[in-house]
Amino acid sequence: MIDSVRAWRDRLRATDPADHRGLLSVGGIRAVWTDALDALTDEALEQIASAPGTPWASAAMAVPRTVPTSPVEWCAVLLTRGTEVTLKPPSTHPGVVPLLVEAARAVDLPLAADADRSSLLRAELAVVQGGDEAVAAVRAARGDRPTLGFGHRFSVAWIRDPRSMVGLAADTARFDGRGCMSPVLALTDLGLEEAAEALGEAMAAQALALPRGSLLPEEGAALREHRARARVGGGLLAGPDWAVLVGPLPDDEPPGLVRAIRLAHADRATAAAWLAARRDQLSTVGTDDPELRLPGVRVCAPGAMQRPPLHRIHDGVDWVSLAVARPQNPWVV
């Protein structure tokens, strides 16, 4: 199967996803499409092919609307193991699912799409990425049958060097700030004026290099509200399609906003304590601090938050190990 998966990957590399961009701009979908395929290295696929254990006979995945390329890596892993895969696309837009299926058909890989929710109930393994309610509904419907559920999480950055703001802005631009790996907050022990200026310049540069896509009405309303609050309560640096919202360290999870990020000052001890207290809610932490440790959380360099390698912790789970082979006993994650 690995040769067919390589051929599938290479076909996808030659495919332009622009007509399947959904809310993203043409440049935006092309960037994340390339990122997703770049993670499918020959070495990574070979490790998956040689992993021990009995592969799943069949798997179905509910594809999230916010991160349209998320099924690329799941398909690569499962198909390499010989698993028959069905993708349930989002109800609002199929995204890149048709491209994945068409390329698989050309190289005789068992990948199909099915918009009916029942596809998630028929498969031996179900993978659900989305809101907590959607994950809970599939788990309840499947009972004790194997289900990998990835509900709501959020990501944060801890920055000590102003030069790292370039990478952080790139993380914020990917998927226009949607999805669990998108940073919603940057903590820093730099002076706030220096940090905001560096991050604002980087965000403006990203807006030119990677134009923002479309906004849903509720997203536009949320942006206007939080820009206004920042303007009167802390500070705002903004362009037509990006924003840095300066304010105090929040007590609660900051809201996810399209192409906008909150910036707050904290010393190292305060930042470490804030992150540790929310460890179970975090997806990814982007940092230039080599001493930061958060067990069970993916920690990476700024600029890599939205470009993860295939083998990694995903929302606290060693997802590749769970995807390549069936465990001996039933379980639900």
Side-chain angles (χ1 to χ4, degrees):
M1 281 289 187
I2 188 171
D3 290 337
S4 295
V5 172
R6 287 187 184 122
W8 173 76
R9 174 199 63 194
D10 295 342
R11 275 184 168 269
L12 293 175
R13 282 193 189 280
T15 301
D16 187 354
D19 290 340
H20 298 260
R21 63 185 181 274
L23 293 173
L24 299 180
S25 67
V26 171
I29 189 62
R30 285 173 176 166
V32 297
W33 181 253
T34 299
D35 292 341
L37 296 172
D38 283 349
L40 308 184
T41 65
D42 286 346
E43 180 183 8
L45 294 177
E46 287 163 3
Q47 290 175 2
I48 289 161
S50 62
T54 304
W56 300 98
S58 62
M61 178 182 182
V63 179
R65 174 183 58 82
T66 53
V67 186
T69 57
S70 64
V72 172
E73 60 182 5
W74 284 93
C75 289
V77 170
L78 292 164
L79 292 171
T80 296
R81 298 290 289 173
T83 301
E84 181 179 315
V85 181
T86 301
L87 298 177
K88 181 195 176 299
S91 57
T92 54
H93 191 279
V96 301
V97 169
L99 300 182
L100 305 183
V101 173
E102 181 181 354
R105 187 180 298 118
V107 294
D108 295 323
L109 284 172
L111 175 62
D114 189 342
D116 194 318
R117 183 173 173 270
S118 64
S119 62
L120 299 170
L121 307 182
R122 294 192 298 268
E124 185 180 21
L125 171 70
V127 180
V128 188
Q129 293 184 339
D132 291 338
E133 290 184 3
V135 171
V138 175
R139 281 177 171 166
R142 287 179 57 85
D144 62 358
R145 300 180 66 203
T147 304
L148 279 168
F150 298 96
H152 176 70
R153 294 227 178 181
F154 69 100
S155 295
V156 177
W158 161 239
I159 304 296
R160 312 198 75 184
D161 186 332
R163 293 172 294 183
S164 298
M165 297 301 186
V166 174
L168 177 59
D171 292 322
T172 305
R174 289 303 195 271
F175 302 106
D176 286 341
R178 302 181 183 95
C180 66
M181 295 183 189
S182 298
V184 299
L185 169 68
L187 307 176
T188 185
D189 57 358
L190 296 166
L192 270 182
E193 184 175 350
E194 176 190 16
E197 181 179 352
L199 183 53
E201 289 180 359
M203 295 279 283
Q206 280 293 320
L208 294 174
L210 206 65
R212 192 187 72 185
S214 303
L215 284 174
L216 295 173
E218 59 269 27
E219 292 173 332
L223 273 173
R224 290 190 294 274
E225 175 187 350
H226 286 278
R227 282 189 182 210
R229 288 183 180 181
R231 189 177 288 113
V232 300
L236 174 69
L237 279 74
D241 51 8
W242 63 270
V244 177
L245 313 170
V246 182
L249 184 65
D251 294 327
D252 301 319
E253 175 190 340
L257 300 170
V258 174
R259 286 292 182 108
I261 185 169
R262 187 176 299 274
L263 178 68
H265 185 271
D267 60 33
R268 193 179 188 285
T270 301
W274 194 95
L275 293 168
R278 294 158 181 81
R279 192 179 71 189
D280 292 342
Q281 301 168 263
L282 295 173
S283 171
T284 301
V285 174
T287 186
D288 52 16
D289 184 350
E291 297 181 4
L292 182 67
R293 298 288 185 274
L294 282 170
V297 177
R298 176 175 167 252
V299 178
C300 65
M305 296 178 71
Q306 299 268 41
R307 291 180 272 191
L310 205 60
H311 291 265
R312 67 179 190 280
I313 296 295
H314 182 85
D315 289 1
V317 175
D318 181 1
W319 76 276
V320 168
S321 295
L322 294 173
V324 297
R326 294 189 303 230
Q328 293 183 348
N329 300 310
W331 48 264
V332 177
V333 175

